[in-house]
Amino acid sequence: MSAARSLHELITIALGEARDVVTLRRCTQAVCRAAGVTGTPLVRLTTVVSEAGEHLLGTQDLTAELCLEESGAVAVAVRFRWREERRPSDALLAAAARLLDATRLEPVTDTGRHELVLCQRAPAPAGSVRELAADVRERLAGTDTAADLIDALRTQNRQLLAALEESERQHEELQRLNAELEETNAGVMALYSELTSELQATNSGVVALYAELEDKTRQLEVAHESKTRFWANVSHELRSPVNSVISLARLLLDAGADPLSDEQRQQVALVQASGSTLLALVDELLDVAKAESGTG
């Protein structure tokens, strides 16, 4: 904004307590809407004005003047004035400079009052700024700020009650969910206990079956060893008499032995052949016994 500025005062509010800051906020909103400042710019100006009013509250002779400022462009301006040696915080000034179109901390005037000016640009009016200022004054004069404050408190109370009801509903829903969760946990624990019992019973059965299989295996091994020893013993016991029979038949058939009749020779030969066959069977039986015992 240029240095040549013309101000059109709208209303001045003395700030002595918290409710005065609420009145200032509502008046700022009314001026912004009348001047065509809406949406985010309106929210920014009213927010910064409220923060500045609360920050400066308690200083001597604190007032806030709402006006339309004209310097090539039109802006809604809020001018805070106070006497005490108290400077707005750097955080407040930085936030105001970031959010608003113009922020000025004026030097102490000849009246000894400090001054902070917060400005937000407004659209160009259809007529003159003077006419717009007169229209805004009429609107502010017709506004019952006390009634507005009561309405605001009522609205806040309704919102608070709605928030409390929602909080109560959420609390009840949370309790219901907790009860369902506890019931589910109890069911899970019961199922876990049941499965654990079944698993323990199954493990016991497996262990018993394994022990039975081990016992059967030992019995089979003992029977197998006994069978192998029996075959080996039988084979050895049969070899000796069979060899004797074969040797005796060979002697009888020898050319130097006493002569035999044809029928005797045929019978002895038959004995020798049968003995040889029997010996072959005994040898096979012995080989099987050795193979099963692992010594063959």
Side-chain angles (χ1 to χ4, degrees):
M1 297 193 180
S2 62
R5 293 187 293 268
S6 60
L7 301 177
H8 302 271
E9 182 180 350
L10 302 174
I11 187 173
T12 299
I13 302 172
L15 303 177
E17 53 185 335
R19 65 179 297 172
D20 297 331
V21 177
V22 176
T23 302
L24 172 62
R25 179 185 179 91
R26 298 189 63 80
C27 289
T28 303
Q29 291 175 340
V31 171
C32 285
R33 293 191 180 97
V37 179
T38 59
T40 302
L42 182 150
V43 174
R44 288 181 176 180
L45 180 60
T46 53
T47 300
V48 175
V49 166
S50 297
E51 289 295 324
E54 291 177 359
H55 178 75
L56 295 172
L57 197 63
T59 55
Q60 185 179 2
D61 295 336
L62 176 63
T63 61
E65 179 188 72
L66 280 79
C67 57
L68 294 179
E69 189 174 279
E70 184 180 10
S71 57
V74 181
V76 176
V78 182
R79 308 171 69 89
F80 290 93
R81 295 190 179 95
W82 68 96
R83 291 187 182 278
E84 235 175 277
E85 281 293 339
R86 181 174 174 183
R87 187 178 186 278
S89 68
D90 293 337
L92 174 62
L93 295 176
R98 185 175 65 255
L99 296 174
L100 304 180
D101 293 323
T103 302
R104 300 191 302 273
L105 184 61
E106 303 287 358
V108 179
T109 64
D110 53 1
T111 61
R113 303 185 75 179
H114 300 269
E115 186 171 304
L116 172 65
V117 183
L118 306 174
C119 299
Q120 190 70 21
R121 189 176 293 109
S128 66
V129 179
R130 187 180 301 277
E131 293 174 347
L132 175 62
D135 179 62
V136 173
R137 289 192 201 97
E138 290 180 2
R139 295 191 185 187
L140 290 175
T143 301
D144 187 353
T145 56
D148 288 345
L149 180 58
I150 292 174
D151 289 341
L153 291 175
R154 286 175 178 172
T155 301
Q156 291 178 357
N157 287 337
R158 286 195 299 270
Q159 293 174 348
L160 180 59
L161 288 175
L164 290 174
E165 290 176 357
E166 178 65 17
S167 176
E168 181 67 20
R169 187 190 65 80
Q170 292 179 353
H171 179 67
E172 293 176 355
E173 180 67 12
L174 182 60
Q175 287 182 331
R176 184 184 67 80
L177 292 175
N178 285 337
E180 291 182 357
L181 181 60
E182 290 178 357
E183 183 178 354
T184 302
N185 288 339
V188 170
M189 291 303 297
L191 179 60
Y192 175 77
S193 299
E194 182 179 354
L195 291 176
T196 301
S197 300
E198 292 181 358
L199 182 60
Q200 290 177 348
T202 302
N203 288 340
S204 300
V206 170
V207 171
L209 179 60
Y210 180 77
E212 184 179 355
L213 290 175
E214 284 286 327
D215 185 57
K216 295 294 184 181
T217 301
R218 286 193 297 270
Q219 292 178 7
L220 289 174
E221 289 177 351
V222 171
H224 180 70
E225 291 175 358
S226 300
K227 182 188 68 175
T228 302
R229 286 196 301 270
F230 172 76
W231 282 7
N233 292 335
V234 168
S235 300
H236 284 292
E237 292 297 329
L238 289 176
R239 284 177 66 88
S240 298
V242 170
N243 283 329
S244 300
V245 170
I246 294 173
S247 299
L248 181 59
R250 187 178 296 115
L251 290 175
L252 292 174
L253 294 175
D254 187 78
D258 294 336
L260 299 174
S261 63
D262 293 338
E263 184 178 357
Q264 290 176 336
R265 182 174 293 277
Q266 184 179 359
Q267 292 176 351
V268 171
L270 181 60
V271 171
Q272 184 181 16
S274 298
S276 298
T277 302
L278 183 58
L279 180 61
L281 293 176
V282 171
D283 289 338
E284 290 179 3
L285 182 62
L286 184 59
D287 292 338
V288 172
K290 289 180 179 180
E292 291 187 353
S293 64
T295 59

